[in-house]
């Protein structure tokens, strides 16, 4: 029997015991016309026993694109609950020959054949249907369980809001006709993802009340898609994510908006995220110590030969490197070169390999560092946090951005995070005992911000002789700004020794946080 | 036939009669039950001739065929007969299913009736 525009064939499937047990009625299983294996009214061999079993699940179980390939029968089902139930049946039923049937399940995005666009006449009917469900006095649109709306069903119009095309069509109709919408009810629509709904942000600026109850939303992260809506009420009851809340006063953070969950009715009290602070140093003394150390360390690290770094490491120093694990195919900017030395013990279970990848003794450490691609670090952009310090131990984490300047990945931008554990060394410096580095590709934002600050003037560059006036101006500028001589001089030079202009520029840059800490090191 | 013990003769002729009636017109099965009879059909309990016949008549298949694989009969201390049947059945166009059925027969007004009956399909994990 063919029904409706989608040519669904309906099959009556019997549970094997349905003639003998009560409560097992005939259950319909449908699948779309693409799945027709034969046009005879018989079930394909592997299906009948399997589907007999599915009859006990739901009155209407839709198997999509059912097809038989060799000794495998394959199909899609729409929701996770059904899929999991079918998976449980694996190896519990046998086919006609007595062999156990194995069920394998993979989750996947909606397959292409699902994209049934609504035809223009359907869209017009949908608009009529929606206008019936719209209450102008409240500016409220009720799309609860829209799929079973009698008007739509009688016209065979399939509107499943958990599908992109349906949601897009509905949002378009809202945008074109009722953009002043205040209240939207989307309950009972089997929504499990909100990225299609996210399109509504900016189209309905007055939307204050959103009802997403009785859907299939699994994590509160989905709500991030609704960033930009200034809701006063958000209904989430009857979603799997509700099980995550242990008590009634649980909170969800979404882009700085704090939702308080009271009996699963949500109120939004906007509260922005605190801004991210820069480096942390417990004392100025430690700050100067570390910054000075890093300045020296990285000037060697960025040079052609890293051998002098031997002086920075303890005899028994240890070093390791790791990179993020990725299944993607290697690309030009990939971290392929670092792959073989990546000591990610989450993936490396073999103790021999783990041992081999740990560089031990300063000779090995520096030899290895010398093999890594030549770099240029943006020292000005470093973020340094002191983890712990005692009289005899100082541990700090450095994160920042660098550029590879040679090799296959020349000009690639990387971001790194490096933890140092050090002890005091002679001439008030540091001696590294442990060095652990993590390298990843830099984000576009990081690349944009990198190397923007003026390059620090190395103190070894020739200082042009200054006139007495300039010298005096320099001293004044330095003491007033707090910057050291080199940086003060650069600032003044860049501004043609116009004290006021230099001071103005300095104040502006300082307010914007663009002046690196090294400028203030005397 | 003369070699077999009497309970086997009674048991097997009852069984033959039962399935022949069942397969042709099960509404006529009333004669073999009495008001005290009990039937457990796939876990459901029925008591009394009327209830039992109603259940069997209302089973939703039109055609039914039984094939007996094995049967066993025993005499009981109170002069009843215990019979057990293992076989296969096919209803309408369904697949063939295994079943097991147990009867307790009693001599009642010079006829043998079924006082207790248990029926189960041989389905596992379903």
């Amino acid at each position: 029997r063919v029904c409706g525009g989608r040519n669904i064939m309906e099959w009556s499937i019997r549970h094997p015991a349905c003639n003998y047990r009560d409560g097992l009625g005939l259950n319909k299983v449908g699948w779309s016309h693409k799945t027709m294996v034969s046009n005879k009214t018989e079930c394909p061999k592997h299906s009948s026993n399997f589907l007999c079993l599915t009859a006990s699940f739901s009155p209407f179980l839709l198997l999509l694109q059912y097809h038989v390939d060799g000794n495998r029968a394959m199909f899609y089902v729409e929701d996770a609950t059904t899929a999991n139930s079918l998976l449980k049946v694996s190896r519990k039923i046998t086919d006609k020959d007595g062999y156990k049937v194995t069920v394998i399940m993979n989750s996947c995005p909606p397959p292409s054949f699902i994209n049934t666009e609504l035809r223009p006449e359907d869209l017009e009917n949908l608009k009529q249907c929606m206008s019936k469900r719209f209450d102008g006095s409240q500016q409220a649109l009720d799309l609860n369980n829209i799929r079973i709306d009698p008007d739509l069903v009688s016209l065979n119009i399939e509107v499943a809001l958990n599908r992109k095309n349906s949601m897009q069509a509905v949002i378009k109709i809202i945008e074109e006709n009722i953009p002043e919408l205040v209240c939207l009810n989307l309950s009972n629509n089997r929504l499990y993802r909100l990225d299609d709904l996210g399109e509504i942000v900016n189209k309905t600026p007055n939307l204050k009340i959103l009802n997403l109850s009785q859907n299939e939303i699994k994590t509160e992260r989905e709500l991030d898609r609704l960033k930009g809506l200034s809701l006063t009420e958000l209904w989430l009851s009857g979603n799997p994510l509700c099980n995550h809340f242990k008590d009634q006063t649980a909170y969800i953070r979404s882009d700085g908006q704090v939702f308080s969950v009271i009996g699963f009715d949500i109120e939004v009290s906007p509260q922005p995220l605190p801004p991210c602070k820069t480096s942390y140093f417990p004392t100025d003394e430690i700050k100067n110590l570390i910054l000075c150390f890093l300045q020296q360390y990285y000037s060697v690290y960025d040079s052609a030969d890293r051998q002098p770094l031997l002086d920075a490491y303890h005899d028994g120093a240890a070093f390791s490197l790791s990179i993020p694990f990725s299944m993607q195919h290697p690309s030009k900017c990939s971290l392929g070169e670092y792959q073989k030395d990546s000591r990610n013990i989450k993936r490396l279970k073999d103790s021999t390999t783990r041992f081999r990848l740990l560089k031990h003794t300063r000779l090995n450490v520096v030899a290895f560092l010398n093999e890594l691609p030549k770099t240029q670090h943006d020292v000005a952009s470093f973020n340094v946090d002191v983890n712990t310090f005692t009289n005899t131990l100082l541990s700090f984490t450095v994160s920042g951005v660098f550029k590879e300047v040679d090799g296959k990945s020349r000009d690639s931008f990387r971001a790194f995070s490096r933890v140092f554990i050090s002890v005091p060394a002679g001439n008030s410096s540091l001696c590294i005992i442990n060095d652990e580095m993590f390298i990843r590709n830099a984000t576009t934002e990081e690349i944009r911000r990198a190397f923007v600050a003026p390059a620090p003037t190395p103190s070894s560059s020739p200082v042009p002789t200054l006139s007495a006036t300039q010298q005096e101006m320099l001293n004044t500028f330095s003491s007033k700004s707090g910057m050291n001589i080199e940086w003060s001089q650069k600032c003044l030079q860049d501004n043609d020794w116009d004290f006021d202009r230099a001071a103005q520029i300095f104040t502006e840059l300082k307010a914007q946080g663009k002046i690196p800490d090294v400028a203030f090191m005397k | 036939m003369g070699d077999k013990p009497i309970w086997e003769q009674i048991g097997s002729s009852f069984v033959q009669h039962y399935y022949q009636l069942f397969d042709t017109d099960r509404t006529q099965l009333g004669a073999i039950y009495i008001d005290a009879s009990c039937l457990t059909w796939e876990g459901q309990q029925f008591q009394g001739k009327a209830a039992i016949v109603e259940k069997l008549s209302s089973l939703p298949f039109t055609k039914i065929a039984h094939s007996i694989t094995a049967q066993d009969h025993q005499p009981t201390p109170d002069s009843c007969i215990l019979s057990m049947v293992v076989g296969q059945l096919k209803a309408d166009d369904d697949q063939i299913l295994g079943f097991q059925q147990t009867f307790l027969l009693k001599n009642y007004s010079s006829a043998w009736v079924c006082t207790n009956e248990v029926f189960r399909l041989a389905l596992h994990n379903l």
Side-chain angles (χ1 to χ4, degrees), chain A residues 115-149:
Chain A
N115 284 341
T116 42
E117 292 270 3
L118 290 164
R119 300 168 298 186
E121 53 268 35
D122 288 344
L123 285 171
E124 187 53 41
N125 288 317
L126 174 58
K127 189 167 115 179
Q128 298 299 331
C129 170
M130 282 167 68
S131 78
K132 278 194 202 172
R133 289 164 162 261
F134 177 67
D135 177 351
S137 64
Q138 306 277 339
Q139 286 292 325
L141 178 61
D142 179 8
L143 296 179
N144 170 42
N145 212 343
I146 181 88
R147 193 177 190 167
I148 59 164
D149 183 293

Side-chain angles (χ1 to χ4, degrees), chain A residues 198 200-202 221-231 253-257 259:
Chain A
I200 212 175
V201 174
N202 299 327
R221 277 192 300 270
E222 285 299 326
L223 298 172
D224 286 350
R225 317 261 183 220
L226 305 177
K227 276 192 287 204
L229 287 177
S230 31
L231 301 173
R253 294 188 72 94
S254 170
D255 187 32
Q257 287 184 315
F259 296 78

Side-chain angles (χ1 to χ4, degrees), chain A residues 311-499:
Chain A
D311 292 334
Y313 287 90
H314 188 277
D315 271 338
F319 173 85
S320 69
L321 167 67
S322 61
I323 62 174
F325 173 67
S326 165
M327 298 236 263
Q328 289 158 354
H329 301 298
S331 66
K332 177 181 169 267
C333 297
S334 81
L335 295 165
E337 279 184 61
Y338 301 98
Q339 185 93 38
K340 61 177 174 19
D341 296 295
S342 173
R343 189 172 183 264
N344 180 355
I345 63 173
K346 193 173 167 192
R347 296 191 50 80
L348 278 177
K349 303 298 181 190
D350 172 43
S351 52
T352 319
T353 320
R354 286 184 181 184
F355 185 77
R356 178 175 61 80
L357 289 175
L358 184 65
K359 314 298 171 199
H360 193 228
T361 80
R362 65 179 175 151
L363 291 173
N364 289 330
V365 171
V366 177
F368 174 74
L369 291 177
N370 230 351
E371 283 168 28
L372 292 175
K374 299 285 167 267
T375 56
Q376 191 198 340
H377 283 74
D378 180 12
V379 183
S381 72
F382 280 3
N383 223 359
V384 181
D385 289 310
V386 174
N387 305 322
T388 189
F389 71 100
T390 68
N391 284 338
T392 50
L393 181 116
L394 178 60
S395 171
F396 55 99
T397 308
V398 184
S399 45
V401 169
F402 67 87
K403 193 162 75 164
E404 288 186 21
V405 298
D406 74 348
K408 274 189 287 185
S409 304
R410 173 198 278 268
D411 294 336
S412 298
F413 282 88
R414 316 281 191 203
F416 75 95
S417 182
R418 199 161 178 177
V419 181
F420 291 99
I421 299 184
S422 62
V423 292
N427 58 285
S428 51
S429 185
L430 296 170
C431 178
I432 306 172
I433 311 272
N434 295 88
D435 179 358
E436 207 172 63
M437 177 151 70
F438 173 78
I439 298 180
R440 59 173 169 81
N441 281 319
T443 63
T444 27
E445 179 66 21
E446 284 168 337
I447 297 173
R448 196 176 62 78
R449 281 188 281 133
F451 300 103
V452 163
T457 323
S459 40
S460 56
S461 70
V463 180
T465 26
L466 301 174
S467 69
T469 340
Q470 285 174 333
Q471 189 69 45
E472 203 188 301
M473 195 188 290
L474 178 58
N475 289 336
T476 320
F477 195 89
S478 173
S479 70
K480 283 208 149 113
S481 68
M483 291 203 292
N484 56 34
I485 295 293
E486 285 87 9
W487 280 77
S488 303
Q489 185 170 339
K490 181 155 185 13
C491 189
L492 285 167
Q493 275 174 337
D494 287 346
N495 290 288
D496 290 331
W497 293 94
D498 179 341
F499 187 92

Side-chain angles (χ1 to χ4, degrees), chain B residues 15-88:
Chain B
V15 160
Q16 188 194 13
H17 177 63
Y18 176 92
Y19 288 111
Q20 194 191 359
L21 262 185
F22 200 107
D23 290 354
T24 49
D25 184 6
R26 57 194 186 273
T27 59
Q28 306 299 316
L29 280 167
I32 65 169
Y33 300 102
I34 55 175
D35 286 335
S37 294
C38 289
L39 164 67
T40 305
W41 180 271
E42 274 285 310
Q44 262 190 308
Q45 317 266 46
F46 300 92
Q47 179 157 29
K49 175 204 291 252
I52 293 174
V53 173
E54 210 219 296
K55 173 62 185 174
L56 296 179
S57 310
S58 70
L59 290 170
F61 43 77
T62 356
K63 274 188 327 184
I64 178 87
H66 290 79
S67 159
I68 296 174
T69 309
Q71 51 181 305
D72 298 289
H73 310 277
Q74 290 176 358
T76 72
D78 53 350
S79 313
C80 293
I81 298 175
L82 176 66
S83 298
M84 192 182 87
V85 175
V86 168
Q88 290 172 302

